[in-house]
Amino acid sequence: MSRVVFLDERCKGCLLCTTVCPKGIIVQSSRFNRQGYKVAEVPADAMKDCTGCASCALICPDVAIRVIKSRKAKKAGKE
Amino acid sequence: MQADERLALADDEQMAFEVPDVLVDRATHYCPGCHHGIAHRLVAEVLEEMGVVDDTICVASIGCSVFIYNYLAVDSVEAPHGRAPAVATGVKRGRTDKIVFTYQGDGDLASIGLAEVMHAANRGERITIVFVNNTVYGMTGGQMAPTTLIGQKTTTCPGGRCRDREGMPIRMAEIIAGLGGVAYSARASLDSVKNIRAAKKAVRKAFDVQQQGLGFGFVELLSGCPTNWRMDAVKANTRIREEMIPYFPLGVYKDVTEGEGVC
Ligand SMILES: Cc1ncc(C[n+]2csc(CCOP(=O)(O)OP(=O)(O)O)c2C)c(N)n1
Ligand code: SF4
Ligand code: SF4
Ligand code: SF4
Ligand SMILES: [Mg+2]
């Protein structure tokens, strides 16, 4: 199991992360942060598809994404 | 920060993406989708991986990245517009034990500072230059830069850059590679996951040659400026792929570690 955490106050809604997710699970939410940016998210029901590949975090210019992997998933080399 | 709870790791969990400590944990002033943020992070990762954070001096330039010292927790000096390679020369010659780098935009490095960078490279100063080429003067509102592409509309060439009037866009990585004191010169791009990974290797190499005393290290990073390109960040990345990379080919133009060293 892998999951991603979006730091809403760091996100600027540029949507670059949505273009690189191999699972296509990142979307623009309907939430605005305090700076007025409409932030990105992975809807709760789609999170199970996250592979923990970290492509989204790598392309995010604002370091707004954290990627968390379970050790088991990592050892198995997939998920 | 509100996200803290979600960042708590369960027993069998671990972070799959490490954020370098030297990258200050604060929101930047950059526009949405601006690639300065990615370039900062790559420099931070490289300095940490080399273990030189406490021995690094950053020479900041004039442009949107003028406040880089707010985002990288290393000792910094602010240079006048274009003069960062000259300032870095003094810093490095005074403190030969330090890793010294400049971080410069294309307006700063390729227009007003062209003489400084050429001579520092030619002298083989043991410094590293991180050159962010976004084809415009970002900070001042998108005027034409020496790197502006033919046909690209800016506030100072509203009809599009014209070869006969303004000349061809300047290819810095190739020019720098032709100078005697250069140990490494490469061009990478920040538009895709694959290219960002390659860019990190190039940044690392540009610092490695300094640490090894081999000569001048130069890395050009093709970067997006969605605001002054008047397009969203996703389209800006498409522009890098379709318009910038064909004119500014990615690759290594000089690498003395593959052959002979500089004196
Ligand atoms: C001596 C001097 N001349 C002109 C300026 C105005 N100025 C500030 S930033 C800049 C250009 C910055 O462009 P670039 O280096 O490409 O950086 P970017 O903002 O695109 O990252 C200019 C011309 C200045 N600050 N000082
Ligand atoms: S870690 Fe990979 S799979 Fe998961 S959301 Fe990010 S890009 Fe998508
Ligand atoms: S790339 Fe980063 S800043 Fe841009 S939308 Fe995604 S999380 Fe937000
Ligand atoms: S103007 Fe361009 S270079 Fe400057 S912060 Fe905005 S997107 Fe980045
Ligand atoms: Mg610029």
Side-chain angles (χ1 to χ4, degrees), chain A residues 13-16, chain B residues 32-33 225-227 229-238:
Chain A
C14 72
L15 301 183
L16 291 181
Chain B
C225 173
T227 300
W229 296 359
R230 313 264 188 270
M231 55 181 78
D232 64 48
V234 175
K235 285 209 187 77
N237 272 5
T238 306

Side-chain angles (χ1 to χ4, degrees), chain B residues 103-127:
Chain B
Y103 183 106
Q104 302 174 256
D106 46 337
D108 187 271
L109 181 140
S111 326
I112 191 170
L114 188 63
E116 282 75 8
V117 73
M118 297 274 284
H119 287 291
N122 197 55
R123 291 190 306 268
E125 299 298 337
R126 269 56 170 173
I127 60 175

Side-chain angles (χ1 to χ4, degrees), chain B:
Chain B
M1 203 175 255
Q2 135 218 41
D4 279 358
E5 256 168 54
R6 298 173 300 163
L7 290 174
L9 297 181
D11 282 347
D12 67 336
E13 283 186 330
Q14 64 189 51
M15 284 291 176
F17 179 77
E18 295 294 337
V19 180
D21 291 333
V22 66
L23 195 65
V24 177
D25 186 16
R26 71 151 59 117
T28 67
H29 70 289
Y30 299 119
C31 306
C34 173
H35 286 177
H36 275 302
I38 303 177
H40 287 15
R41 196 186 74 231
L42 295 186
V43 170
E45 287 176 2
V46 163
L47 295 179
E48 238 168 64
E49 284 166 23
M50 291 173 74
V52 296
V53 166
D54 293 337
D55 290 306
T56 296
I57 299 171
C58 168
V59 181
S61 67
I62 304 302
C64 282
S65 61
V66 65
F67 297 129
I68 189 171
Y69 48 76
N70 283 337
Y71 307 129
L72 289 184
V74 296
D75 291 338
S76 303
V77 185
E78 182 69 59
H81 205 15
R83 311 312 182 225
V87 173
T89 296
V91 172
K92 181 72 182 196
R93 289 188 177 205
R95 294 301 305 265
T96 51
D97 55 322
K98 298 291 180 189
I99 296 291
V100 179
F101 77 98
T102 74
Y103 183 106
Q104 302 174 256
D106 46 337
D108 187 271
L109 181 140
S111 326
I112 191 170
L114 188 63
E116 282 75 8
V117 73
M118 297 274 284
H119 287 291
N122 197 55
R123 291 190 306 268
E125 299 298 337
R126 269 56 170 173
I127 60 175
T128 300
I129 298 223
V130 179
F131 170 47
V132 174
N133 175 2
N134 59 15
T135 72
V136 282
Y137 291 6
M139 186 194 205
T140 45
Q143 292 83 358
M144 193 191 83
T147 46
T148 296
L149 293 176
I150 295 298
Q152 182 181 340
K153 294 189 169 104
T154 73
T155 54
T156 47
C157 53
R161 183 178 186 155
C162 162
R163 178 198 175 127
D164 290 341
R165 204 172 42 219
E166 288 101 9
M168 293 295 282
I170 197 162
R171 295 187 177 106
M172 286 310 303
E174 290 87 331
I175 291 172
I176 294 294
L179 298 170
V182 176
Y184 182 77
S185 180
R187 180 182 297 113
S189 170
L190 304 179
D191 67 296
S192 70
V193 170
K194 179 170 156 261
N195 285 343
I196 292 170
R197 288 193 208 283
K200 174 153 172 206
K201 291 202 179 99
V203 172
R204 173 71 194 251
K205 210 67 197 272
F207 277 95
D208 278 344
V209 293
Q210 175 186 171
Q211 195 179 38
Q212 293 157 10
L214 295 173
F216 188 86
F218 185 89
V219 57
E220 173 172 346
L221 302 172
L222 301 184
S223 303
C225 173
T227 300
N228 288 303
W229 296 359
R230 313 264 188 270
M231 55 181 78
D232 64 48
V234 175
K235 285 209 187 77
N237 272 5
T238 306
R239 175 179 187 257
I240 294 179
R241 268 189 291 283
E242 293 180 354
E243 295 177 35
M244 280 179 83
I245 294 176
Y247 186 82
F248 295 114
L250 308 185
V252 178
Y253 292 93
K254 185 167 188 187
D255 183 354
V256 298
T257 64
E258 303 283 323
E260 279 159 54
V262 182
C263 80

